[in-house]
Amino acid sequence: MSIKRICVIDGQGGGIGAAVIKALKAAFGESVEVIALGTNAIATSQMLKAGANRGATGESAICWTVSTADCVVGPISVTWAHSMLGEVTPKIAEAVASCPAQKVLIPLSQEKVEIVGVVKEPLPHLVQAAVEGKIKEVISNV
């Protein structure tokens, strides 16, 4: 069985990505390769400190690396051009949305968008649900 590659994308301070990476490493250990992809260097650094195996920063790194992933995880705003105070470029949004990997998106954003039907939960609950739900399923089936 090959090691599954999970790309975690975050921007700004990298807090959501760091929480996801800590949960992924606690649940799957070294049976998965976790790649931290930051829209800026601070986000990448925080995700590396949380335990990512490798990391890269910026549009080119994100656009190329998501095409090699089995699973992409991040806040839902990574699929919206110009979100995160403009850190998510149109090319990043397109690359994430169109890559063949399973996308597991956490419904948190600071944008003026309301997703109807989503129950508001604190970040730790959302991360736990993502890791124990869809990500576990993806890791088992890829």
Side-chain angles (χ1 to χ4, degrees):
M1 187 168 100
S2 64
I3 293 179
K4 307 305 180 213
R5 175 178 281 185
I6 301 173
C7 290
V8 178
I9 305 173
D10 200 4
Q12 300 189 309
I16 294 172
V20 169
I21 289 169
K22 286 179 185 174
L24 287 171
K25 286 301 185 177
F28 306 113
E30 294 305 315
S31 67
V32 295
E33 178 185 26
V34 178
I35 300 177
L37 297 173
T39 58
N40 65 65
I42 293 171
T44 303
S45 175
Q46 290 304 310
M47 293 189 285
L48 285 167
K49 287 178 185 174
N53 297 89
R54 296 188 295 156
T57 301
E59 179 182 271
S60 181
I62 293 170
C63 292
W64 186 83
T65 307
V66 296
S67 69
T68 68
D70 296 304
C71 184
V72 174
V73 185
I76 194 167
S77 56
V78 300
T79 61
W80 301 339
H82 309 295
S83 64
M84 296 187 189
L85 299 174
E87 291 184 13
V88 177
T89 67
K91 286 184 179 179
I92 290 173
E94 179 182 3
V96 172
S98 64
C99 76
Q102 175 69 50
K103 274 72 77 181
V104 179
L105 302 174
I106 297 174
L108 290 176
S109 90
Q110 298 175 347
E111 314 308 321
K112 291 183 178 178
V113 175
E114 183 70 29
I115 302 172
V116 177
V118 174
V119 177
K120 294 188 178 191
E121 293 279 343
L123 179 60
H125 294 177
L126 295 171
V127 169
Q128 182 180 9
V131 170
E132 294 177 1
K134 192 62 178 178
I135 295 173
K136 187 174 184 178
E137 178 186 320
V138 170
I139 298 303
S140 300
N141 295 329
V142 175

